[in-house]
Amino acid sequence: MDFLTDSHKLLMVNNGQQVKQEAAGQTEPHANESKMKLKRRQFTANEERRVRFNPLNPLCLLTVMRLLLLLTALLALQLVGGQEDYCFGKDAEREQTRHFTSKTAYQIVKGTNMDKQYQVPGCEPKKMWIFHRHGTRLPTPNTIRAAPRLEDLRDQIVKNYRVLRTKPETNALCSTDLIAIQMWKWNTSITVDIEEHLTTQGYEDLRGTAKVYQHYYPTVLPTRYNDSYYLFRHTDTQRTTESFKGFTEGLFGDNTVATAADIPEQDLLLRPYDYCNDFKDKNYKGEGSEYQKYRTSAIWNRTVDDITKRLGFTFLAEEDIELMYDMCRYEQAWQVDRTSVWCGAFLPEQVTVLEYAEDLKYYYGSGYGFEENTKFNCRAVQDMLTRLSSPVSPHVIAYFAHSTGLQTLLTALGINKDDVALRADNYNSMTSRRWKTSLLGPFAGNFVAVKYECTEALEKEKVVFFLNQNAVELDWCNVGLCDWSQVLEHYKTISEANCDEYYCRSGAMAGRASLLFTALIAAIVYLMH
């Protein structure tokens, strides 16, 4: 009887007692009837109360719904009022660090699929040609001189938030990022006399890439150094010299066993841009350029205003924004496993706007923005084709150079060319563009060509191109694997060109004129004595 209500049970007990009393002659029938009527009225009143508060009653449902709506509204107000602003310090993904253009850390954007890309069934790797940008470096002299200014900006931002109360209502700095900025100090040991020097992370970048390629190609990259098998060369800078040492330590376990080729007085192979006025004089970032147009566009101005408000300012010079952005990128690349406090100054979507400006600069400076750029790095392309075509040593050729050299090489080879040109007015439609300096030429960016012999295939020689440990997919190749005969045919024009005249007459002529002038001066001095 457990399913009966308490009221029913009470009524049954009372009725039972009444029957027993009447049988014993202890109660009068009329008195009992009066008591029964009273109890029935009490029972009916209780049931009415139950019906009145029955949750299935339409009136009760309406009341409950009103209460739920009120609670929902209060909860929504609470969520909006306490919603956490974007916090770089707490962001586990930090996707924007993949969009720092030429100052992107290699460890963040390097490829991870070589396990599936390096194996060519029925073929054996025989030769390797490498063009390697130097690793992470220190800032330029101008940035080092300006860096103490960041301490003033630090104090002003904290004052804006804590004293002036100019914190924006939306997209403000989170407390974690604000405290991190407040604690930041410039490293005064970084001085102009060591400008652009390779950092510890930069050395590790190169040591790491050597180990990776040696892991996948142990027969091509033996651990014992042989000066006829290996050919190394770097430019006349500290950062490329130390990058070469880091790379050779990765291969041989010691950075002193290998030697690099002599650096020519005019390094037309690795630094041709230093000797070509036509290349240096083109307008890729001056007045009227797409770069400058973009920096006066609505989306740029809106982004600058948003960053200014985010930091609590009513006005902030673009030079200050660029300084914070540069320090964010440098510090993030110097210590990949940590966060730069200055990256917290920017929302992820603001970083992509800043990225596009530099992509425009590089696109017209070293990329497909000007057709002539495809002809510029003629010597590097010829060197690759000649070295890989030769059956004799050296079997490994590795050059250590700079971002402009790497970008112009990729441009000459037609890698990552977009169907639509990058312009100041098409940022929104170019978010999936191929020309992204962050992916093409980060710190320690590298282009590697691996030549294979395929004895049982119809085409005996093949090649796979790698860019930052990702196999390069060219339209005229088979999923990254190219027939060597196709490569020679595709680049026939540039391989047969006279590089002295193919792009930059001024560079070659200037070189010859310089030698002639030097010889003339020497002759005059000789005659005078």
Side-chain angles (χ1 to χ4, degrees), residues 99 352 355-357 359-360 416 418 420 422 427 429-437 439:
H99 300 272
T352 59
E355 176 193 30
Y356 193 68
D359 278 351
L360 281 171
N416 280 42
D418 291 282
V420 177
L422 278 66
Y427 163 78
S429 62
M430 297 298 287
T431 55
S432 299
R433 62 190 177 278
R434 297 174 186 169
W435 182 269
K436 282 194 175 184
T437 320
L439 303 179

Side-chain angles (χ1 to χ4, degrees), residues 395-414:
H395 281 70
V396 177
I397 304 94
Y399 299 131
F400 303 92
H402 306 271
S403 59
T404 302
L406 178 59
Q407 290 177 25
T408 52
L409 171 63
L410 299 177
T411 301
L413 296 173

Side-chain angles (χ1 to χ4, degrees), residues 126-129 220 228-230 388 391-397:
K126 289 293 184 181
K127 279 198 165 190
M128 185 177 289
W129 188 91
V220 183
S228 63
Y229 184 90
Y230 282 100
L388 293 181
V392 299
S393 285
H395 281 70
V396 177
I397 304 94

Side-chain angles (χ1 to χ4, degrees), residues 283-320:
N283 182 21
Y284 65 96
K285 64 175 183 177
E287 184 177 355
S289 65
E290 293 296 316
Y291 171 75
Q292 285 298 337
K293 290 177 185 176
Y294 180 70
R295 288 176 61 104
T296 58
S297 67
I299 190 168
W300 177 267
N301 291 332
R302 183 168 63 251
T303 300
V304 169
D305 289 343
D306 289 344
I307 295 170
T308 301
K309 293 175 183 176
R310 174 172 167 79
L311 301 178
F313 293 99
T314 55
F315 172 78
L316 187 60
E318 289 190 21
E319 291 79 7
D320 288 335

Side-chain angles (χ1 to χ4, degrees), residues 22 79 82 89 153 155 274 304 338 343 373 394 417 420 467 491:
E22 286 178 349
L79 288 173
L153 290 170
D155 295 341
D274 285 346
V304 169
R338 300 185 184 180
C343 293
N373 290 345
K417 183 177 182 179
V420 177
L467 178 60
Y491 300 120

Side-chain angles (χ1 to χ4, degrees), residues 17-18 20-32 35:
Q17 290 176 347
Q18 179 185 354
K20 291 179 181 178
Q21 289 172 350
E22 286 178 349
Q26 295 175 355
T27 60
E28 296 181 4
H30 293 292
N32 288 338
K35 290 180 181 179

Side-chain angles (χ1 to χ4, degrees), residues 51-92:
V51 172
R52 192 177 301 130
F53 292 97
N54 187 345
L56 296 180
N57 186 292
L59 292 176
C60 293
L61 283 174
L62 183 60
T63 303
V64 171
M65 289 178 66
R66 286 174 177 171
L67 287 171
L68 287 174
L69 286 173
L70 179 61
L71 288 172
T72 302
L74 290 172
L75 182 61
L77 287 172
Q78 184 178 1
L79 288 173
V80 171
Q83 186 175 6
E84 189 76 20
D85 290 307
Y86 172 76
C87 204
F88 180 77
K90 294 182 179 180
D91 184 356

Side-chain angles (χ1 to χ4, degrees), residues 126-132 213 220-222 225-234 244 247-248 251-252 259 261 269-270 379-380 382-400 409 446-451 484:
K126 289 293 184 181
K127 279 198 165 190
M128 185 177 289
W129 188 91
I130 303 169
F131 195 103
H132 213 309
Y213 286 115
V220 183
L221 295 168
Y225 174 68
N226 181 307
D227 61 359
S228 63
Y229 184 90
Y230 282 100
L231 170 64
F232 298 112
R233 180 170 157 183
H234 55 77
F244 151 70
F247 192 85
T248 54
L251 290 179
F252 312 122
T259 57
L269 175 63
L270 301 185
R379 291 179 180 83
Q382 286 189 355
D383 187 88
M384 178 188 71
L385 297 175
T386 302
R387 300 281 191 188
L388 293 181
S389 293
S390 173
V392 299
S393 285
H395 281 70
V396 177
I397 304 94
Y399 299 131
F400 303 92
L409 171 63
N446 54 87
F447 174 81
V448 177
V450 182
K451 178 84 173 298
W484 186 243

